[in-house]
């Protein structure tokens, strides 16, 4: 278990996860003819989506959760490799689209880019939050002399 992890509900992360899920669904359906954009960029976004789902329900540091999201992607890729090696076939078409059916080194690269993107975006969010001016103390009603 991750030290310092606790359960919580973050509605903003849920909103972003739902928006990203919609993009992923559009890529999987309408984007079927888009080749590289659908496959590679979809895998990049998949890691970010898993991270946002985790972030919706778990309060923990960014790195462990981003690593867990990367691990999910790598586990899917390992499953694809093992299914291919053992000549297994997923009969459900929708599940085959979601999980993929062929292992590919480019997918691993896409997952790594998604992982790096999550870290970069979270670092940028933290930098912007730190740069935001803090609320000053309330002013007194007497004018300054």
């Amino acid at each position: 278990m991750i030290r310092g992890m606790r359960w919580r509900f973050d509605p903003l992360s849920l909103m972003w996860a739902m928006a990203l899920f919609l993009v992923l669904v559009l890529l999987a359906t309408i984007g079927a003819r888009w080749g590289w954009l659908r496959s590679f960029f979809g895998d990049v976004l998949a890691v970010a989506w898993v991270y946002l789902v985790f972030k919706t329900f778990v309060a923990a540091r960014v790195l462990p959760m981003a690593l867990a999201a990367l691990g999910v992607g790598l586990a899917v890729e390992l499953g694809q490799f093992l299914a291919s090696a053992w000549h297994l076939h997923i009969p459900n078409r929708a599940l085959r689209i979601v999980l993929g059916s062929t292992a590919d080194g480019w997918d691993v690269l896409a997952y790594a880019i998604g992982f790096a993107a999550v870290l970069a975006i979270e670092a940028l969010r933290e930098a912007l939050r730190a740069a935001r001016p803090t609320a000053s103390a309330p002013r007194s009603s007497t004018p300054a002399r």
Side-chain angles (χ1 to χ4, degrees):
M1 185 152 112
I2 299 172
R3 183 178 298 238
M5 179 184 89
R6 66 184 197 286
W7 294 106
R8 59 105 182 249
F9 177 70
D10 180 8
L12 184 60
S13 293
L14 177 63
M15 182 199 69
W16 281 109
M18 289 172 36
L20 200 52
F21 182 74
L22 179 63
V23 171
L24 288 168
V25 167
L26 290 173
L27 279 175
T29 56
I30 297 171
R33 296 175 297 273
W34 296 348
W36 176 86
L37 182 66
R38 175 188 181 250
S39 60
F40 191 82
F41 191 60
D43 288 342
V44 170
L45 292 180
V47 170
W49 177 74
V50 170
Y51 171 79
L52 286 168
V53 170
F54 288 164
K55 189 176 174 184
T56 298
F57 300 106
V58 177
R61 293 187 334 264
V62 171
L63 183 60
M65 288 205 311
L67 283 170
L70 175 63
V72 168
L74 295 175
V76 166
E77 202 64 26
L78 178 62
Q80 291 172 355
F81 173 77
L82 293 176
S84 175
W86 295 337
H87 305 291
L88 300 174
H89 178 73
I90 300 172
N92 184 305
R93 184 173 186 266
L95 190 58
R96 201 169 49 245
I97 290 171
V98 169
L99 294 178
S101 56
T102 56
D104 185 6
W106 289 106
D107 291 348
V108 174
L109 177 63
Y111 297 145
I113 291 171
F115 167 75
V118 164
L119 294 180
I121 290 168
E122 288 292 352
L124 180 62
R125 284 183 65 234
E126 189 59 37
L128 289 174
R129 187 178 303 133
R132 193 177 305 151
T134 58
S136 59
R139 297 182 187 194
S140 68
S141 58
T142 59
R145 295 184 189 189

